[in-house]
């Protein structure tokens, strides 16, 4: 699978700000890709029908389009290469990316018909969002936070509980179809 050319850089190197229109176009192309996938996701238990696909805040950063992708089933920070150059990391692998607020783990992926992206999950599933404006505000706030070197998480934020280890192997297809249910012990 080769990467689809979101854009092809020709001529002298450009500053990141000069590439912002190109980055916004890459974000919109990714949104169109997910919008096309939306029909197939509607019947899955992770789908929030109150939401729609949107590309939030895409701009050029380090020769990548960087922004947040909102869908009815997830919200991710996304990096899309602006140059049609295949990456040297295998798809599915993780890569640490340093942002002003700290280092985050992104997963390398390849979307058939689109190309390579890197994503970092913010929310999934999306049932905590009652409507599109709320989801988009959260996306914009998350993007602003990771790009703010002075950002510190609120002290009163509850700690995320550590899930108990499980010996049950999860089947991704059964999970997405809603076939996995917690069984009484």
């Amino acid at each position: 699978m080769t990467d689809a050319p979101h854009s092809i850089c020709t001529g002298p190197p450009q500053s990141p700000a000069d590439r912002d229109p190109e980055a916004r176009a890459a974000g919109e192309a990714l949104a169109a890709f997910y919008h096309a996938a939306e029909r197939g996701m509607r019947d899955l238990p992770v789908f929030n029908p109150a939401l729609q696909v949107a590309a939030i805040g895409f701009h050029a950063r380090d020769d990548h389009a960087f922004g947040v992708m909102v869908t009815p089933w997830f919200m991710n920070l996304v990096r899309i290469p602006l140059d049609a150059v295949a990456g040297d990391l295998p798809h599915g692998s993780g890569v640490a990316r340093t942002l002003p607020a700290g280092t985050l783990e992104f997963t390398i992926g390849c979307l058939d018909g689109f190309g390579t992206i890197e994503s970092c999950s913010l929310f999934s599933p999306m049932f905590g969002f009652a409507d599109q404006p709320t989801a988009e505000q959260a996306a914009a706030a998350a993007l602003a936070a990771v790009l703010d070197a002075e950002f510190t998480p609120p002290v009163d934020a509850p700690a995320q509980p550590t899930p108990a280890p499980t010996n049950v192997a999860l089947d991704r297809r059964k999970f997405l179809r809603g076939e996995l249910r917690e069984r009484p012990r």
Side-chain angles (χ1 to χ4, degrees):
M1 165 77 208
T2 59
D3 291 342
H6 315 296
S7 63
I8 297 175
C9 181
T10 57
Q14 297 174 313
S15 75
D18 292 340
R19 298 192 81 181
D20 280 348
E22 193 177 354
R24 284 189 295 277
E28 290 303 320
L30 183 58
F33 177 87
Y34 284 120
H35 184 67
E38 192 172 347
R39 175 178 277 173
M41 296 296 291
R42 286 189 186 281
D43 294 330
L44 297 178
V46 295
F47 190 89
N48 180 345
L51 302 179
Q52 58 192 16
V53 174
I56 308 297
F58 275 83
H59 63 281
R61 181 176 180 80
D62 303 325
D63 293 325
H64 283 73
F66 185 75
V68 178
M69 186 57 53
V70 173
T71 73
W73 57 97
F74 71 74
M75 181 187 302
N76 289 348
L77 283 170
V78 176
R79 293 179 79 234
I80 306 167
L82 289 175
D83 299 317
V85 176
D88 55 351
L89 296 171
H91 299 295
S93 65
V95 60
R97 297 291 182 197
T98 301
L99 298 167
T103 302
L104 295 174
E105 185 79 15
F106 284 75
T107 302
I108 309 295
C110 183
L111 304 176
D112 285 337
F114 184 81
T116 299
I117 68 167
E118 296 178 16
S119 59
C120 176
S121 180
L122 296 173
F123 295 97
S124 181
M126 296 289 286
F127 296 118
F129 299 98
D131 56 41
Q132 189 70 22
T134 304
E136 290 187 14
Q137 289 169 356
L143 184 60
V146 300
L147 296 175
D148 180 0
E150 302 298 316
F151 176 77
T152 54
V155 222
D156 60 343
Q160 295 294 328
T162 304
T166 179
N167 293 331
V168 177
L170 294 179
D171 181 305
R172 183 176 176 183
R173 286 192 173 134
K174 285 183 180 180
F175 170 76
L176 290 174
R177 289 185 184 124
E179 296 174 14
L180 294 178
R181 303 277 191 255
E182 188 171 325
R183 295 185 181 126
R185 296 177 189 227

